[in-house]
Amino acid sequence: HHNHNIHTKPMGQTNQSFNGNHGMPSPNPRSTMYPLPSKSSKRWQEIVLVLSRRINDHKDLFQALYDVSSEKQRRKLSLRGLQPFLLHCMTAKQKDQFYQITLPFIQECALKLPALFENNEIRLLTEGKASSVELSEEQIAALLAMSFFGFHSWERPVSFPQFR
């Protein structure tokens, strides 16, 4: 039985602390590093251009999601669940709050990604190894924002672990 722990730190503390094998570094520390979308400066510039724009309504949001998607992602992009929710399930007050407060906050969190992660990578917890990852609340918010905009499906290196 191997323990995997994820710890959070209070806002403002952004250093990553990775402890594996009871505090000892793993034999190949780069083997479980996952590149964040900010790793590629060209891709990150495209993302920054899109996420720096004001998103006022569902049409702006759908365009932003399309614009930040890679060609491969665009072929699979589906708004079937999001579109009815935004158009029919939210009240006018909820829509205002979402577009004026929530969505700008998500954009801001996503844009902080490169400043929050050294080398624009994050260590993965892998099966069969006792390890832990310590993340600040800001880092967690940035990762969640990244997922909201679909940045979690960038190209993975050949050495990336395969999940069953």
Side-chain angles (χ1 to χ4, degrees), residues 31-35 124 154 156-163:
S31 66
T32 57
M33 296 306 287
Y34 193 75
L124 293 177
W154 57 89
R156 292 160 176 88
V158 176
S159 64
F160 187 77
Q162 299 298 312
F163 298 100

Side-chain angles (χ1 to χ4, degrees), residues 77-141:
L77 186 63
S78 171
L79 304 170
R80 286 184 302 204
L82 186 57
Q83 186 169 0
F85 177 75
L86 293 174
L87 294 177
H88 307 296
C89 296
M90 296 175 77
T91 65
K93 183 179 178 181
Q94 289 170 328
K95 287 177 189 175
D96 285 345
Q97 184 174 4
F98 179 73
Y99 291 110
Q100 292 176 18
I101 299 168
T102 307
L103 194 54
F105 176 75
I106 295 170
Q107 289 171 263
E108 182 183 321
C109 288
L111 290 170
K112 289 180 181 177
L113 199 66
L116 297 173
F117 291 91
E118 189 176 330
N119 299 321
N120 294 299
E121 298 174 322
I122 186 169
R123 184 174 303 278
L124 293 177
L125 297 176
T126 56
E127 187 177 345
K129 290 184 183 177
S131 58
S132 65
V133 175
E134 189 170 304
L135 299 168
S136 71
E137 291 175 1
E138 278 186 298
Q139 287 173 314
I140 293 167

Side-chain angles (χ1 to χ4, degrees), residues 12-28:
Q13 294 182 12
T14 59
N15 294 337
Q16 289 184 353
S17 173
F18 303 114
N19 298 317
N21 304 324
H22 307 290
M24 300 300 292
S26 60
N28 183 358

Side-chain angles (χ1 to χ4, degrees), residues 5-16:
N5 300 309
I6 299 175
H7 304 281
T8 62
K9 293 189 290 185
M11 290 289 264
Q13 294 182 12
T14 59
N15 294 337
Q16 289 184 353

